[in-house]
Amino acid sequence: IFPELVMTDNKGFKAIEYGKLSALLVKGVKELNDKNEKLKADNTELKAKNIELSNKIDLIEQRLNKIEEMKGISYSQKKENIFERFFNWIRSLFKSRVMQIN
């Protein structure tokens, strides 16, 4: 991988110049440390954004619940409405498929 680290003695034996290897290893460790620090900073930033978005969602849910309370919509009504809308959608899909076949 690093041919510049390989030396050949006067008998033709190959050896590694460890003095040069340690400099490369130190450089590699520094690069990895820099990448690690950047990833830590990115992670911290993403965690902060996640908390911010989570708080916004909480506020939106609170506002939605207040609106639904004002309109007198209960959870069971919302649940029934969702199912009713879903089944109506399925029916309309089925009808459109049947009409396409005919």
Side-chain angles (χ1 to χ4, degrees):
I1 298 175
F2 297 105
E4 64 272 12
L5 297 178
V6 178
M7 66 176 194
T8 306
D9 65 10
N10 55 2
K11 294 182 182 179
F13 290 106
K14 304 283 184 189
I16 296 175
E17 292 187 55
Y18 289 103
K20 291 181 181 178
L21 179 63
S22 62
L24 287 172
L25 292 174
V26 168
K27 181 181 175 187
V29 168
K30 285 181 181 178
E31 288 174 1
L32 288 174
N33 189 39
D34 291 344
K35 286 181 182 179
N36 189 36
E37 291 302 317
K38 177 159 181 0
L39 289 172
K40 284 181 181 179
D42 290 348
N43 190 35
T44 300
E45 182 182 337
L46 289 172
K47 283 181 179 180
K49 284 182 180 180
N50 190 20
I51 290 170
E52 178 185 340
L53 291 173
S54 182
N55 290 339
K56 285 182 179 181
I57 289 171
D58 289 343
L59 288 173
I60 290 169
E61 286 178 342
Q62 289 172 7
R63 292 176 71 186
L64 180 60
N65 287 335
K66 285 181 184 177
I67 291 169
E68 289 171 344
E69 284 175 15
M70 289 170 45
K71 288 190 161 199
I73 300 172
S74 67
Y75 175 75
S76 61
Q77 288 172 327
K78 286 191 291 185
K79 188 174 163 184
E80 288 172 15
N81 188 26
I82 290 170
F83 288 123
E84 183 179 331
R85 288 175 49 203
F86 175 73
F87 287 119
N88 287 336
W89 178 71
I90 294 293
R91 277 190 214 116
S92 68
L93 282 177
F94 180 74
K95 286 179 184 178
S96 65
R97 297 281 183 208
V98 169
M99 294 178 96
Q100 288 176 357
I101 294 172
N102 293 333

